[in-house]
């Protein structure tokens, strides 16, 4: 019907526009109680004594739980990124004897409403014995310093190395070696809806139902099953509407154990809605990385080798993502360039801050900032145009698929792409030479205008499989049961488009069921730009299978060969005899068990399908940023922006542009505004939206988005590459480069806050880099 | 705690309830009246997700007590469309221009924009951006929201209609 590729309005929107979506905070159960969580006010302390007596006496309090009420407490496991060593710093759902960040859960109050629960929190008396906090990443690594976890000396939870080619020879053969340190600040996903859960335990049937899980309901159900020692068949997860995910939401957090535990313990439905202050202290943060790089360059700008040492600040505990931000940064640091000699050492470092996990384009946003800044440093040092240095280093399209060399924890074969081709298209679209001239002449008139480039290669479509079942009911409706999740990105629309086209039915005739573990048996959920790739292709395969079934049954019923049939608008029609046809609804009725069993067919009009892949697509693209900086105030303002990305095939270009626009806004936030600042003693200073600055409509420029279908991915039948993260991936790098161009300074860290830029301006242009100090590990 | 009786008109209907003086207006609307379309994003008056109209003016229901709204005339997202089968022109423009993703900030934005267009039927891009800068959206990057507002304004001006 031509839905794939079209700008189809979203099927999800009507309920959101009318205010009748059902988010977790909208779930009401009979007898529902409300939980509030007492969190540590100290970054590092021993818990000596907890006195809940007076809090428990508060009218309306149902009960209070601490670790002593949970005798079989286990740590929350990693589900991904399990670098050996990280298992030594896993988190218990509630503090047993020590707290390691401000926000670490200490007690849970359950009361008749949240007001009463919050009152009771204030009456709990906890005696803490403070311990020396470890806040700075590098200082944390001192051998003689305080330890967060007894089993982890020098707070290095894990360390690993990527070593490709011969980096020492590359350094020796270089005409120029550039050494620099870069830093990306701690910031994070911060979805507009905070986390929340409602848990209800049906004691008689022994069924625990949870509303609020998202992202990967089946995986999290498995974790909860182990932690509660309750069979998976006794746990029912239901994903409601979800107010944004971006990596952080839908992971298994302490509360994902505490809330169902409380519901079982008190035999009452329990609702917990995270408040914003909790959200800014308790939900995974991300991005805090220090990079110390060395680049070996020839006189013509070609890069011979790249060496990096990454310190990934993982906060106080290993969470479900394990070492992913460090893994992804070390895997994708080379981006689109053919750097044959590469060595990267990653240290996963524990500090007394909120634990870290992934945030949209994890590790890549950081790595792209570092590498794209380094490319511009090369250009400045060799007096070349930054675009030219990129051209001289791209992996050529004829080298695809391209193996970047082994990485201990990451798949590394780029599937397809035309890096220089996309680059030239993007530069032509913005008239790059024209912009350069404009910026130059503005600068001559005293205005600080600059243009910056940021190339990226993303990884998407994380496998190894996804599940789909397509069913046609006796009303002729097509129902897709998918193992994916929705965090607000429009998956129902995209999947409906794919299924509607394959079955030649109208879009409004397709319904997507997902996020309910009782209705969908398997699923790996939505993350890592995998939904269209994995769930889309799984749905396509299931639709193809059910189409064959429909045709077989129609052929038998119409007594005609398969070759003489075609389908259109929900009917199977005989070629050349358009009156002879049968509707999908009728075929479904013929598939009723009573009829089907007699006619020798298997009952039902439904087919399951798994799409499996151990390989991953690598979407890629470029950001072009034009900024103006006010030399007096240090404020950077974006004037123009382009994001171009090869998505392989655009199922719905409007939604892809939406993903790019949303990603870009977050990338701008990370480049200019957002930072989880911590005091010297580990106290978080950004715990409200007055201190943690999200971009508003005033900071986001009108931008141009160019989703391209240059090279379809050869790894899946749809040819899609996944498009959730390209909009954010290179924003830090492109904006930083534009600011450098505008001011004639060398930016080394994010965010580009006014005080930092003023400071750089005072110090003047810094082309020479310092030799870094030695690291003590 | 002593409880007080409050009554207010929301979307043309009369509502009465008994609340503690500290109960937030947004909790009264969402939980006591079950008008859950109004959302809570920050509870400190910054994000704008809880925006409703009070005598046509956009206000934040998370920093107002229910008792303060005693006798007030309010409008929430549930009151925008005339019927279940129709959309308000602003809702329609949001749909057509992909001005929402997760939908959590959407009710607050719709009402902020309704108040804007009532006061200023032909806002400039700068005026639109300035007005919605009190509503945080983490998904869309705002561009499509700005476009949606421009489209509604254009349509209203072409048809000589005003926002109701």
């Amino acid at each position: 019907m031509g839905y794939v590729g079209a700008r189809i309005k979203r099927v999800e929107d009507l309920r959101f526009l009318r205010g009748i979506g059902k988010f977790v905070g909208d779930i009401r159960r009979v007898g529902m109680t409300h939980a509030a969580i007492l969190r540590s006010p100290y970054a590092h302390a021993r818990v000596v004594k907890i006195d809940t007596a007076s809090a428990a006496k508060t009218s309306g309090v149902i009960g209070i739980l601490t670790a002593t009420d949970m005798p079989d407490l286990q740590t929350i496991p990693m589900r991904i990124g399990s670098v050996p060593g990280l298992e030594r710093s896993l988190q218990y759902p509630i503090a047993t004897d020590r707290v390691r960040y401000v926000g670490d859960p200490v007690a849970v109050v359950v009361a008749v409403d949240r007001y009463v629960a919050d009152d009771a929190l204030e009456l709990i008396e906890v005696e803490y014995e403070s311990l020396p906090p470890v806040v700075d990443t590098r200082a944390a690594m001192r051998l003689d310093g305080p330890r967060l976890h007894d089993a982890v000396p020098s707070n290095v939870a894990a360390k690993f190395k990527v070593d490709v080619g011969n980096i020492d020879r590359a350094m020796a053969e270089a005409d120029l070696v550039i050494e620099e340190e870069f830093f990306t600040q701690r910031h994070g996903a911060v979805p507009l809806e905070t986390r929340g859960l409602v848990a209800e335990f049906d004691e008689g049937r022994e069924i625990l139902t949870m509303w609020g899980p998202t992202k990967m309901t089946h995986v999290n159900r498995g974790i909860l099953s182990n932690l509660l020692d309750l069979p998976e068949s006794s746990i029912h997860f239901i994903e409601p509407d979800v107010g944004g995910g971006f990596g952080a939401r839908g992971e298994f957090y302490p509360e994902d154990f505490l809330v169902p535990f409380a519901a079982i313990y008190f035999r009452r439905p329990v609702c917990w809605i995270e408040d914003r202050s909790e959200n800014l202290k308790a939900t995974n943060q991300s991005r805090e990385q220090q990079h110390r790089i060395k680049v070996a360059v020839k006189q013509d700008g070609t890069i011979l080798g790249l060496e990096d040492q990454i310190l990934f600040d993982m906060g106080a505990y290993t969470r479900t993502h394990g070492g992913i931000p460090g893994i992804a940064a070390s895997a994708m640091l080379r981006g689109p360039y053919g750097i044959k000699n590469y060595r990267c050492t990653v240290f996963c470092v524990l500090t007394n801050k909120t634990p870290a996990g992934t945030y949209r384009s994890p590790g890549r946003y950081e790595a792209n900032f570092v590498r794209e800044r380094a490319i511009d440093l090369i250009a400045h040092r060799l007096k070349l145009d930054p675009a030219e240095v990129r051209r001289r280093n791209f992996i050529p399209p004829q080298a695809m698929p391209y193996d970047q060399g082994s990485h201990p924890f990451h798949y590394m074969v780029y599937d397809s792409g035309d890096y220089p081709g996309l680059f030239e298209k993007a530069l032509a679209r913005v008239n790059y030479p024209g912009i350069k001239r404009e910026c130059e002449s503005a600068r001559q008139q005293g205005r600080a205008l600059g243009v910056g480039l940021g190339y990226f290669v993303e990884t998407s479509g994380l496998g190894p499989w996804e599940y789909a079942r397509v069913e046609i009911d006796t009303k002729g409706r097509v129902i897709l049961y998918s193992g994916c999740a929705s965090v607000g990105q429009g998956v129902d629309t995209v999947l409906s488009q794919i299924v509607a086209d394959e079955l030649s039915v109208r879009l409004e005739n397709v319904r997507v069921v997902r996020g309910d573990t009782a209705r969908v048996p398997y699923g790996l959920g939505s993350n890592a730009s995998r939904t269209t790739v994995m769930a889309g292709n799984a749905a396509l395969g299931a639709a193809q299978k059910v189409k064959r079934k429909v045709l077989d049954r129609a052929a038998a019923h119409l007594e005609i060969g398969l070759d003489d049939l075609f389908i259109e608008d929900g009917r199977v029609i005989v070629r050349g005899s358009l009156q002879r046809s049968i509707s999908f609804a009728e075929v479904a009725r013929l598939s009723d068990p009573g009829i089907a069993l007699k006619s020798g067919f298997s009952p039902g009009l439904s087919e399951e399908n798994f799409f499996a892949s151990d390989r991953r697509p690598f979407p890629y693209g470029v950001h072009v940023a034009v900024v103006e900086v006010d030399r007096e105030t240090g404020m950077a303002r974006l004037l123009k922006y382009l994001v171009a990305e090869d998505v392989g095939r655009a199922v719905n270009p409007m939604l892809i542009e939406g993903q790019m626009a949303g990603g870009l806004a977050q990338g701008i936030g990370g480049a200019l505004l957002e930072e989880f600042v911590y005091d010297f003693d580990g106290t978080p200073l950004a715990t409200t939206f007055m201190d943690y600055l999200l971009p508003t409509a005033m900071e986001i420029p009108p931008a141009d988005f160019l989703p391209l279908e240059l090279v379809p991915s050869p790894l899946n039948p749809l040819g899609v590459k996944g498009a959730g993260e390209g909009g954010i991936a290179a924003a830090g790098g492109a904006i930083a480069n534009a600011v450098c161009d505008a001011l004639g300074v060398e930016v080394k860290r994010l965010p580009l806050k006014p005080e930092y830029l003023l400071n750089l301006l005072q110090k003047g242009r810094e082309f020479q880099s310092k030799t870094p100090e030695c690291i003590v590990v | 705690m002593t409880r007080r009786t409050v009554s207010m008109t929301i979307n043309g209907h009369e509502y009465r309830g008994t609340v503690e003086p500290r109960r937030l207006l947004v909790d009264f609307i969402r939980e006591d009246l079950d008008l859950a379309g109004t959302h809570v994003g920050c509870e400190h008056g910054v994000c704008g997700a809880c925006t409703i109209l009070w005598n046509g003016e956009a206000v934040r229901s998370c920093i107002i007590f229910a008792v303060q709204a005693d006798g007030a005339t309010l409008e929430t997202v549930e009151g925008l469309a005339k019927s279940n089968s129709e959309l308000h022109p602003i809702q329609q423009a949001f749909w057509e221009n992909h001005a929402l993703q997760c939908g959590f900030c959407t009710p607050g934005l719709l009402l902020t924009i309704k108040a804007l267009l009532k006061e200023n039927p032909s806002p400039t891009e700068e005026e639109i951006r300035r007005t919605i800068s009190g509503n945080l959206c983490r998904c869309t990057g705002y561009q499509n929201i700005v476009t949606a507002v421009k489209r509604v304004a254009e349509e209203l001006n072409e048809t000589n209609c005003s926002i109701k």
Side-chain angles (χ1 to χ4, degrees):
Chain A
M1 309 279 271
Y3 290 116
V4 170
R7 304 175 73 86
I8 302 293
K9 290 203 295 282
R10 298 200 332 169
V11 300
E12 294 89 340
D13 286 358
L14 292 173
R15 68 176 183 274
F16 297 133
L17 288 164
R18 293 174 55 211
I20 54 169
K22 270 259 182 285
F23 294 87
V24 61
D26 307 334
I27 305 291
R28 310 274 182 264
R29 305 297 300 169
V30 174
M32 190 167 87
T33 63
H34 296 261
I37 293 162
L38 183 73
R39 298 177 183 279
S40 168
Y42 295 103
H44 200 186
R46 197 170 296 286
V47 180
V48 180
K49 202 174 131 204
I50 307 174
D51 181 356
T52 58
S54 58
K57 279 185 227 138
T58 310
S59 159
V61 169
I62 287 151
I64 298 171
L65 298 170
T66 64
T68 54
D69 301 303
M70 306 172 195
D72 303 315
L73 213 51
Q74 297 173 64
T75 54
I76 299 167
M78 283 175 271
R79 65 167 181 83
I80 196 170
S82 321
V83 181
L86 290 178
E87 70 287 346
R88 296 171 299 169
S89 46
L90 292 169
Q91 183 175 14
Y92 283 98
I94 195 160
T96 49
D97 59 341
R98 238 162 114 178
V99 287
R100 294 182 175 86
Y101 63 99
V102 173
D104 214 341
V106 174
V108 183
V109 174
V110 176
V112 291
D113 75 20
R114 181 63 184 260
Y115 290 72
V116 175
D118 280 338
D119 287 346
L121 283 189
E122 295 186 12
L123 297 173
I124 300 175
E125 286 171 39
V126 186
E127 191 185 320
Y128 294 100
E129 178 192 311
S130 73
L131 294 167
V134 175
V135 184
D136 178 75
T137 321
R138 200 172 291 274
M141 298 166 73
R142 282 183 16 217
L143 263 177
D144 57 344
R147 277 187 201 183
L148 268 81
H149 299 265
D150 296 338
V152 185
S154 65
N155 298 311
V156 176
K159 179 187 162 184
F160 62 90
K161 194 191 262 187
V162 189
D163 207 341
V164 177
N166 187 333
I167 189 69
D168 298 321
R169 199 167 65 204
M171 291 294 163
E173 288 172 0
D175 295 328
L176 171 71
V177 174
I178 291 180
E179 292 186 57
E180 195 51 85
E181 283 183 56
F182 291 104
F183 173 74
T184 48
Q185 86 285 15
R186 188 171 263 262
H187 60 288
V190 194
L192 204 64
E193 183 202 23
T194 56
R195 291 178 298 142
L197 290 166
V198 173
E200 182 172 67
F201 187 56
D202 180 336
E203 193 182 349
R205 293 182 176 83
E206 218 185 43
I207 300 278
L208 172 73
T209 307
M210 297 261 287
W211 292 262
T214 179
K215 189 176 181 178
M216 32 204 355
T217 47
H218 294 85
V219 176
N220 287 340
R221 181 183 60 167
I223 296 176
L224 184 63
S225 162
N226 288 331
L227 296 183
L228 285 175
D229 195 21
L230 197 63
E232 287 196 25
S233 56
S234 285
I235 306 177
H236 180 193
F237 273 17
I238 299 168
E239 177 190 55
D241 286 324
V242 173
F246 318 122
R249 185 200 214 84
E251 290 298 315
F252 198 101
Y253 284 91
E255 297 84 357
D256 291 74
F257 171 82
L258 297 174
V259 175
F261 184 92
I264 295 170
Y265 191 93
F266 295 117
R267 299 290 196 262
R268 294 282 296 268
V270 176
C271 167
W272 169 73
I273 305 293
E274 185 182 49
D275 69 31
R276 183 54 69 184
S277 169
E278 284 184 290
N279 174 262
L280 296 171
K281 288 186 294 216
T283 295
N284 285 349
Q285 301 179 353
S286 198
R287 300 278 202 255
E288 186 175 0
Q289 292 192 358
Q290 295 184 31
H291 288 243
R292 189 170 272 179
I293 63 156
K294 252 171 106 173
V295 198
V297 191
K298 293 298 273 182
Q299 201 58 46
D300 64 359
T302 51
I303 299 168
L304 293 179
L306 173 62
E307 193 174 2
D308 191 7
Q309 182 198 67
I310 301 175
L311 309 187
F312 157 47
D313 189 316
M314 55 189 286
Y317 296 98
T318 301
R319 275 201 172 158
T320 49
H321 288 120
I324 288 291
I327 292 168
S330 60
M332 300 309 295
L333 186 70
R334 286 159 290 172
Y337 309 117
I339 301 171
K340 301 251 188 250
N341 305 296
Y342 175 59
R343 184 158 64 205
C344 183
T345 317
V346 179
F347 297 85
C348 302
V349 186
L350 294 155
T351 59
N352 291 116
K353 289 178 279 193
T354 298
T358 66
Y359 170 35
R360 203 174 196 173
S361 193
R364 278 105 61 183
Y365 183 91
E366 300 91 310
N368 293 333
F369 165 71
V370 171
R371 180 196 61 250
E372 293 301 296
R373 280 297 300 118
I375 299 282
D376 274 29
L377 283 176
I378 295 169
H380 294 161
R381 291 283 287 275
L382 297 175
K383 303 203 167 16
L384 292 167
D385 186 292
E388 193 50 37
V389 177
R390 287 173 173 81
R391 285 187 189 108
R392 289 180 190 178
N393 286 288
F394 282 134
I395 296 164
Q398 56 274 21
M400 293 290 171
Y402 185 85
D403 189 344
Q404 280 278 40
S406 75
H407 184 292
F409 307 103
H410 203 287
Y411 178 75
M412 287 308 320
V413 183
Y414 290 179
D415 63 316
S416 60
D418 180 357
Y419 300 159
L422 178 136
F423 190 60
E424 299 309 334
K425 264 192 204 324
L427 294 194
R429 172 102 167 187
V430 298
N431 182 13
Y432 179 69
I435 289 185
K436 288 211 71 154
R437 280 195 304 275
E438 259 175 62
C439 292
E440 187 61 56
S441 75
R443 285 198 293 268
Q444 278 166 8
Q445 289 156 24
R447 289 175 66 192
L449 251 70
V451 55
L453 303 171
Y455 212 102
F456 68 89
V457 179
E458 268 295 309
T459 61
S460 67
L462 183 62
W465 55 265
E466 193 46 84
Y467 169 86
R469 178 165 78 87
V470 172
E471 176 186 288
I472 298 172
D473 73 9
T474 52
K475 296 274 185 291
R477 298 255 300 193
V478 177
I479 304 112
L480 166 68
Y481 296 83
S482 172
C484 76
S486 168
V487 286
Q489 71 278 50
V491 301
D492 292 356
T493 305
V494 168
L495 296 177
S496 297
Q497 287 177 260
I498 293 167
V499 170
D501 267 4
E502 188 54 35
L503 289 172
S504 307
V505 294
R506 269 173 276 172
L507 192 75
E508 52 272 26
N509 250 349
V510 182
R511 182 189 174 84
V512 180
V513 174
R514 46 151 181 79
D516 184 328
T517 56
R519 302 182 73 190
V520 182
Y522 311 101
L524 287 181
S526 287
N527 57 84
S529 295
R530 74 187 299 275
T531 312
T532 309
V533 180
M534 299 304 295
N537 282 291
L540 176 70
Q544 286 166 342
K545 284 186 186 173
V546 93
K547 184 162 116 184
R548 277 196 289 277
K549 209 171 207 175
V550 168
L551 285 168
D552 279 344
R553 285 177 192 185
H557 180 76
L558 297 167
E559 296 175 333
I560 198 160
L562 279 177
D563 292 345
D564 293 319
L565 294 175
F566 70 99
I567 60 171
E568 193 180 284
D569 199 10
R571 298 190 79 80
V572 185
I573 304 167
V574 178
R575 272 180 222 286
S577 173
L578 299 185
Q579 304 85 337
R580 280 180 74 195
S581 72
I582 180 170
S583 71
F584 284 11
E586 288 166 85
V587 178
R589 286 195 282 275
L590 294 174
S591 305
D592 174 84
I595 302 168
L597 289 170
K598 278 184 189 151
S599 34
F601 283 125
S602 61
L605 198 52
S606 163
E607 284 287 345
E608 289 190 314
N609 184 54
F610 285 88
F611 179 69
S613 175
D614 287 326
R615 296 178 289 175
R616 303 181 67 172
F618 288 81
Y620 59 94
V622 68
H623 288 219
V624 185
V626 181
V627 302
E628 176 162 20
V629 185
D630 184 326
R631 285 176 177 279
E632 300 261 304
T633 64
M635 283 284 280
R637 190 164 62 94
L638 286 152
L639 303 180
K640 276 187 199 163
Y641 211 103
L642 169 78
V643 182
E645 182 180 13
D646 181 9
V647 298
R649 185 162 173 212
V651 175
N652 188 330
M654 181 170 80
L655 267 59
I656 292 174
E657 287 160 21
Q659 286 298 306
M660 290 170 134
L664 173 61
Q666 293 179 325
I668 292 171
L672 301 179
L673 301 166
E674 298 177 37
E675 183 167 19
F676 286 116
V677 179
Y678 283 80
D679 209 345
F680 66 94
D681 63 356
T683 305
L685 300 180
T687 59
T688 73
F689 279 161
M690 310 294 270
D691 313 295
Y692 189 86
L693 302 180
L694 294 179
T696 76
M698 298 303 287
E699 286 80 43
I700 308 303
D704 187 14
F705 301 106
L706 200 57
L708 294 166
E709 298 179 314
L710 293 184
V711 191
S713 176
L715 304 183
N716 63 76
L718 286 169
V720 292
K721 292 187 171 177
E725 295 162 285
I728 193 171
I735 295 169
N737 283 337
V739 165
C740 295
D741 188 43
L743 295 177
V745 298
E746 296 296 5
V747 161
K748 289 167 193 172
R749 57 163 296 160
L750 296 177
L752 306 167
K753 289 185 181 176
E755 60 267 33
Y756 173 58
L757 295 186
L758 288 177
N759 196 304
L760 279 182
L761 271 174
Q762 268 161 16
K763 284 199 280 182
R765 200 169 189 121
E766 296 183 28
F767 277 168
Q768 284 303 117
S769 55
K770 297 180 304 252
T771 317
E773 323 143 30
C774 282
I775 178 168
V776 189
V777 180
Chain B
M1 211 171 282
T2 51
R3 293 170 77 88
R4 300 254 304 264
T5 303
V6 292
S7 67
M8 53 193 85
T9 307
I10 305 178
N11 307 326
H13 301 281
E14 288 287 329
Y15 291 92
R16 289 176 84 78
T18 324
V19 295
E20 285 185 359
R22 65 171 174 176
R23 191 155 186 80
L24 296 173
L25 179 56
V26 70
D27 290 341
F28 179 68
I29 292 173
R30 283 178 47 78
E31 292 170 22
D32 301 356
L33 307 183
D34 209 22
L35 292 169
T38 303
H39 295 149
V40 185
C42 73
E43 324 94 31
H44 53 275
V46 181
C47 80
C50 67
T51 304
I52 59 169
L53 299 186
W54 180 319
N55 290 332
E57 205 174 309
V59 297
R60 285 162 197 235
S61 58
C62 80
I63 47 170
I64 296 173
F65 294 116
V67 290
Q68 291 176 285
D70 190 22
T73 301
L74 309 178
E75 185 179 351
T76 66
V77 65
E78 289 90 347
L80 275 175
K82 272 187 272 175
S83 72
N84 288 347
S85 56
E86 287 171 277
L87 290 179
H88 185 278
I90 306 174
Q91 292 171 318
Q92 183 71 31
F94 262 57
W95 192 26
E96 279 165 14
N97 292 285
H98 187 32
L100 66 152
Q101 287 181 32
C102 81
F104 197 75
C105 70
T106 310
L109 271 157
L110 291 170
L111 292 158
T112 300
I113 291 160
K114 183 175 177 183
L116 165 73
L117 291 177
K118 203 154 187 197
E119 197 179 290
N120 178 0
S122 315
T124 63
E125 167 143 359
E126 170 77 13
E127 284 167 339
I128 297 169
R129 285 184 180 266
R130 198 168 290 283
T131 305
I132 66 165
S133 70
N135 292 71
L136 297 175
C137 168
R138 194 59 162 160
C139 295
T140 65
Y142 306 104
Q143 193 155 321
N144 289 345
I145 298 172
V146 175
T147 308
V149 181
K150 286 186 190 165
R151 295 283 172 278
V152 190
E154 281 163 16
E155 261 173 50
L156 291 173
N157 292 330
E158 278 165 20
T159 52
N160 257 329
C161 288
S162 63
I163 279 288
K164 287 193 192 75

